[in-house]
Amino acid sequence: MAAKNPDLSRNNRLVIGISGASGVAFGVRALELLKVAGIETHLVMTKAAEMTLGYETGLKAKDVEKLAHTRYRIEDIGAGIASGSFRTMGMIVAPCSIRTMSEIATGVTSSLLTRAADVVLKERRRLVLMVRETPLHTGHLRSMTQLSEMGAIIAPPVPGLYAKPASVDQLVTQTVARALDLFDLDLPDTKRWGEDLKDGRRSPVKPARGE
């Protein structure tokens, strides 16, 4: 039997979760960037996410579905991404609602999205949660601490204004690209301090005489 190519079975797959929090554009942009980069995306959206798509973008679920390699129904707990034997590089939830975050933190999962996230944690893979809520009360913060201790990365969609975005579209792109950095994905859309951004460039430090 021929050996499977590990690059195709794991290193090229990423699970994308989109919850119903405000900011569904982050999840959509993640799918767009990953499609261009040739990453195999496995998408699961909540019913609330489909509603928020209409409110915030005018898009329908079918429009977003076309950007993904595979889309699963939120109730399909028998899907591949619900099992640890389905190999991936991890999962990003963009945006991540407080309800979704809380389910993942407790391990009491009620949908394929939170089950898939639980699988990523138990398999010790990378889980990035773009939690979209403010202000935060102590219960929220405790859940975030618990998730961090479990191995998740809490990455709220905080804009990097140092990149001087000229539009909301550029702001969304930079924010998502930085979140995808956490999977060691070097996307050309990312503006990097000290590299692409003129203000962040520095001349090499010259050693003083005698050093």
Side-chain angles (χ1 to χ4, degrees), residues 162 174 177-178 181 185-187 190-197:
Y162 61 87
Q174 174 69 8
R178 286 289 292 118
D181 264 352
L185 296 172
D186 189 9
L187 303 175
T190 313
K191 302 300 181 184
R192 303 187 183 284
W193 188 260
E195 296 179 23
D196 309 296
L197 301 170

Side-chain angles (χ1 to χ4, degrees), residues 7-84:
D7 291 333
L8 295 179
S9 64
R10 177 176 183 178
N11 297 333
N12 201 44
R13 281 180 183 162
L14 190 64
V15 181
I16 311 295
I18 302 179
S19 77
S22 179
V24 289
F26 295 113
V28 175
R29 184 53 45 82
L31 288 166
E32 291 171 340
L33 294 176
L34 292 167
K35 185 172 185 178
V36 172
I39 302 298
E40 183 181 302
T41 52
H42 292 258
L43 170 66
V44 57
M45 289 189 290
T46 65
K47 297 295 184 183
E50 295 185 15
M51 292 176 58
T52 308
L53 271 174
Y55 295 148
E56 296 187 349
T57 70
L59 296 173
K60 296 181 179 179
K62 289 185 178 180
D63 299 321
V64 179
E65 181 180 304
K66 294 175 183 178
L67 298 171
H69 177 276
T70 304
R71 184 200 170 187
Y72 305 91
R73 299 189 310 276
I74 190 67
E75 69 276 8
D76 186 9
I77 59 171
I81 59 175
S83 172

